[in-house]
Amino acid sequence: MTTKRLLAVLMTGCLIGAALAGCSKENSPDSTNTGMNSPTERTKLKAIIVKHSLTKDVTQMKWLSDLEEKANVDIEWQQISADWDQKKSALFASGEIPDLLFNATQNSDFVQFNGLFEDMGPLIEKEAPHIQKMFSEHPELKALATQMDGKIYGTPRYKGIWPGSTATMFINKTWLDNLGLKVPATWDELEQVLIAFRDGDPNQNGDKTDEVPMDFNPIGWDFTPKLLLGSLGLPLSNSAGDGYFTEDAQVKNFYVDERFKTLMQFLQKLYGQNLINKEAVTQDYSKFQSLARGNGTTAKVGFTWGWETGDRFGNELKDQYISLPQLKEHADSTNELYWSNDYYFQNYGANAVSISASSKKKDAAMRFIDAFYDPTVSMQVLFGGMNDTDKGIKDNGDGTYQVLPPADSSLDPGSWKWTNSFADNGPMYIADELKDKLKLGTDMQSVLKEKDIYTELLNKADPKANIYPQTFMKYSTEDTNTLAMNQANINNITDQKWANWLTTKANIESEWDAYVASVNSSGLEQNLQIRQIAYEEYLSTLK
């Protein structure tokens, strides 16, 4: 047995042992078997939470300990910050899971491990007035939570205050001004600007070799040139992943679309002129971020994509950058312009919390879950506690609230949020009525302002034809397995090919037809058929 295999066996054994120690099958349930204890005795529950790597020990969050006390429960937390996808297989296969699972389940788990999770529908009707109110105000959230068998195994999340797009296109305005250049509006103008960035020492430090004209993440990720497909009339949606999108109510994949060929030809041309970071294909996210932070007040990157200027460039450099509207391909292009519509991905989420079917205290577990969906509590789930210890949100005393700046001045607002709360990974319902009552932090104010230039493009995308709603789509076990197996084969081809086309002088035009044929025969055609059926089923649920 190899060392890696031996370690894997030992880790699996340890995980199952830990799961057995923290399982929900108890020999001495409370006397009523409903989770109700005497007024002075708090119901003990065990829970797993899969949290962000930045998130501190959740037992140190006062808002959470206060919530446990209010719900009359005492939670024994098991906290997972890495490698959950590998760990959960062993845990779920053991059949011994804790009462509650936060941010730990996917739709496919409910099918693969049938019987392991509780149908929460009856419990919601009995014990969850806040979730019932959420479903009443947003029926699509109940549809999101309901599986193909009509049951609810995980409660959803909704925040509604995030922008409709994940990425913004940024350009260094200081560099443009230093070189006497105007903001580019087309691909052709962008190319000329990048050449000037390469040759003109735009950061004015006397070194003409330390500027990176363009940088991006690998194309399958969020902050990439795939967003320029919108210049060619292709309506992207972030939540699709793996290149899937809908156009005129047909599910398609941009990796075999002629417009992707056009984009890759343009990027190959830029790369060949040394206008793109040579490490763009291989760099991880941390390196992608650190390069954009530059060196003090000396910027290194001219043109890129990201979430928000402070997050992307840091406080010292953020004011050098501006948001760039979607570019036309050429000045005389007549293509309809789009920007990636990510509203569903940003604001809706499935399976925030699940309950073990073997829990002896399901009613108490459900009441605790429901407490998270009180809108005032949900704000704290997302941004941190409303108290003098957590210092996440301030209650202004007049029905309004405001997100506080980081108590630790060394952290930016986003990092502070992810450190001190469940953040986006938590169960929450930020009710629509709170949008005008909650003053967001400086980072989110900046995000909304910077992305406002895409509002018109986002609004014109037809939600019943040109927005791919992967968040809401459901698949059978067989289809889920087929999609996954095919996608692994597809990605094997597409990932290697776009990287090869970018970094070499390969003739994309002459290779295109054979490439498309190979991708289609690797399972894409079958995946498109499966996704089309699921998409049409989703459309049938819309009013």
Side-chain angles (χ1 to χ4, degrees):
M1 179 178 291
T2 66
T3 301
K4 287 185 177 180
R5 289 182 62 195
L6 178 59
L7 286 172
V9 170
L10 290 172
M11 288 178 67
T12 300
C14 290
L15 179 65
I16 293 177
L20 289 172
C23 70
S24 61
K25 289 184 176 179
E26 301 179 10
N27 294 324
S28 55
D30 58 77
S31 58
T32 62
N33 201 31
T34 65
M36 291 292 290
N37 285 13
S38 67
T40 58
E41 183 183 357
R42 290 164 64 172
T43 302
K44 296 185 181 298
L45 297 169
K46 298 176 188 286
I48 274 181
I49 180 170
V50 179
K51 63 180 188 178
H52 193 279
S53 58
L54 286 176
T55 305
K56 68 183 182 183
D57 185 337
V58 301
T59 63
Q60 297 177 10
M61 298 176 183
K62 188 177 187 304
W63 69 265
L64 182 59
S65 60
D66 289 346
L67 191 66
E68 292 181 28
E69 183 175 359
K70 184 177 180 181
N72 199 32
V73 297
D74 185 7
I75 308 295
E76 180 182 326
W77 292 97
Q78 180 182 351
Q79 304 178 51
I80 308 290
S81 297
D83 303 321
W84 172 241
D85 285 342
Q86 290 74 38
K87 294 172 181 176
K88 77 173 182 179
S89 296
L91 177 60
F92 289 1
S94 75
E96 304 287 353
I97 61 174
D99 302 280
L100 293 160
L101 301 99
F102 285 75
N103 195 43
T105 54
Q106 299 176 347
N107 289 347
S108 57
D109 297 327
F110 307 139
V111 181
Q112 182 177 357
F113 301 98
N114 185 31
L116 191 61
F117 305 97
E118 179 71 12
D119 173 17
M120 300 165 72
L123 288 169
I124 290 172
E125 292 181 7
K126 180 182 178 184
E127 301 287 354
H130 292 117
I131 296 177
Q132 291 177 48
K133 184 174 185 289
M134 175 179 70
F135 285 167
S136 174
E137 294 176 349
H138 281 276
E140 74 276 13
L141 286 165
K142 185 173 184 180
L144 173 61
T146 303
Q147 300 300 309
M148 295 183 74
D149 61 3
K151 297 179 179 180
I152 296 175
Y153 300 106
T155 57
R157 54 173 69 90
Y158 173 77
K159 51 186 186 245
I161 52 177
W162 253 232
S165 179
T166 303
T168 298
M169 192 154 58
F170 296 115
I171 194 163
N172 192 310
K173 183 64 164 57
T174 299
W175 285 14
L176 291 173
D177 293 342
N178 288 343
L179 299 177
L181 301 170
K182 67 176 184 178
V183 176
T186 68
W187 290 12
D188 302 321
E189 291 176 4
L190 175 64
E191 180 181 0
Q192 295 308 308
V193 164
L194 296 177
I195 290 172
F197 284 174
R198 180 195 65 193
D199 299 336
D201 188 25
N203 64 20
Q204 297 185 337
N205 69 343
D207 182 355
K208 291 188 176 183
T209 65
D210 68 339
E211 288 90 355
V212 175
M214 177 194 287
D215 195 21
F216 56 83
N217 251 353
I219 279 180
W221 297 11
D222 290 333
F223 305 135
T224 81
K226 72 179 182 182
L227 291 155
L228 290 176
L229 289 168
S231 302
L232 307 174
L234 192 152
L236 282 178
S237 298
N238 171 286
S239 59
D242 295 319
Y244 294 97
F245 68 100
T246 54
E247 187 171 37
D248 300 327
Q250 291 295 309
V251 180
K252 302 179 180 180
N253 190 286
F254 71 65
Y255 282 109
V256 293
D257 191 288
E258 288 279 337
R259 290 165 288 191
F260 181 65
K261 177 179 70 175
T262 300
L263 174 62
M264 288 309 307
Q265 289 170 328
F266 175 62
L267 295 176
Q268 184 188 64
K269 181 183 179 184
L270 299 182
Y271 190 92
Q273 298 177 78
N274 198 30
L275 302 178
I276 295 176
N277 181 10
K278 295 300 183 183
E279 297 184 12
V281 174
T282 57
Q283 66 184 346
D284 62 18
Y285 187 75
S286 62
K287 194 163 188 178
F288 171 69
Q289 284 289 78
S290 64
L291 178 62
R293 299 293 179 102
N295 182 13
T297 58
T298 302
K300 300 291 186 180
V301 174
F303 171 75
T304 188
W305 292 262
W307 170 245
E308 180 262 337
T309 49
D311 171 75
R312 186 74 180 93
F313 307 107
N315 290 333
E316 288 191 283
L317 292 176
K318 66 179 183 179
D319 292 338
Q320 293 191 23
Y321 292 84
I322 61 170
S323 302
L324 191 63
Q326 182 61 286
L327 303 174
K328 296 178 68 174
E329 182 185 10
H330 307 297
D332 57 354
S333 295
T334 58
N335 295 321
E336 192 78 39
L337 297 182
Y338 287 98
W339 192 253
S340 186
N341 195 306
D342 312 325
Y343 184 79
Y344 294 150
F345 174 81
Q346 291 280 13
N347 290 286
Y348 292 81
N351 306 319
V353 197
S354 296
I355 295 178
S356 167
S358 61
S359 173
K360 304 300 184 183
K361 303 168 182 177
K362 297 185 181 72
D363 285 6
M366 189 72 251
R367 287 196 300 275
F368 181 54
I369 292 172
D370 188 61
F372 283 83
Y373 289 88
D374 177 306
T376 304
V377 174
S378 289
M379 287 191 290
Q380 299 176 76
V381 174
L382 184 56
F383 293 114
M386 200 180 302
N387 57 70
D388 292 336
T389 300
D390 295 331
K391 300 178 181 178
I393 293 178
K394 178 184 177 182
D395 183 345
N396 294 323
D398 59 359
T400 66
Y401 310 87
Q402 65 185 84
V403 177
L404 296 171
D408 182 347
S409 60
S410 69
L411 296 178
D412 62 86
S415 297
W416 175 254
K417 179 190 79 169
W418 281 102
T419 299
N420 290 281
S421 66
F422 287 12
D424 302 53
N425 290 335
M428 72 188 77
Y429 178 53
I430 306 296
D432 293 339
E433 64 193 42
L434 288 174
K435 292 179 181 179
D436 297 326
K437 299 178 180 179
L438 174 62
K439 183 178 180 180
L440 298 174
T442 55
D443 61 327
M444 284 304 301
Q445 293 179 42
S446 177
V447 164
L448 294 170
K449 181 179 180 180
E450 290 171 359
K451 296 182 187 300
D452 188 55
I453 60 170
Y454 305 119
T455 299
E456 183 179 348
L457 299 186
L458 296 174
N459 288 344
K460 74 178 182 182
D462 185 348
K464 295 184 179 180
N466 291 336
I467 299 178
Y468 189 62
Q470 180 56 46
T471 303
F472 293 89
M473 292 166 65
K474 307 289 196 310
Y475 304 97
S476 67
T477 307
E478 181 181 358
D479 284 345
T480 296
N481 292 336
T482 299
L483 288 170
M485 193 160 47
N486 287 341
Q487 200 60 53
N489 295 330
I490 295 165
N491 291 348
N492 231 7
I493 299 172
T494 58
D495 288 351
Q496 293 181 33
K497 184 57 72 173
W498 78 257
N500 174 262
W501 281 341
L502 177 72
T503 59
T504 71
K505 296 181 179 180
N507 189 319
I508 299 174
E509 185 67 49
S510 65
E511 294 182 7
W512 180 256
D513 289 343
Y515 157 75
V516 170
S518 68
V519 174
N520 283 331
S521 63
S522 294
L524 179 60
E525 290 182 338
Q526 185 178 24
N527 278 13
L528 289 172
Q529 292 171 0
I530 292 172
R531 289 176 180 271
Q532 184 69 38
I533 292 171
Y535 175 62
E536 291 175 0
E537 289 177 351
Y538 159 77
L539 290 179
S540 70
T541 67
L542 301 180
K543 296 181 179 179

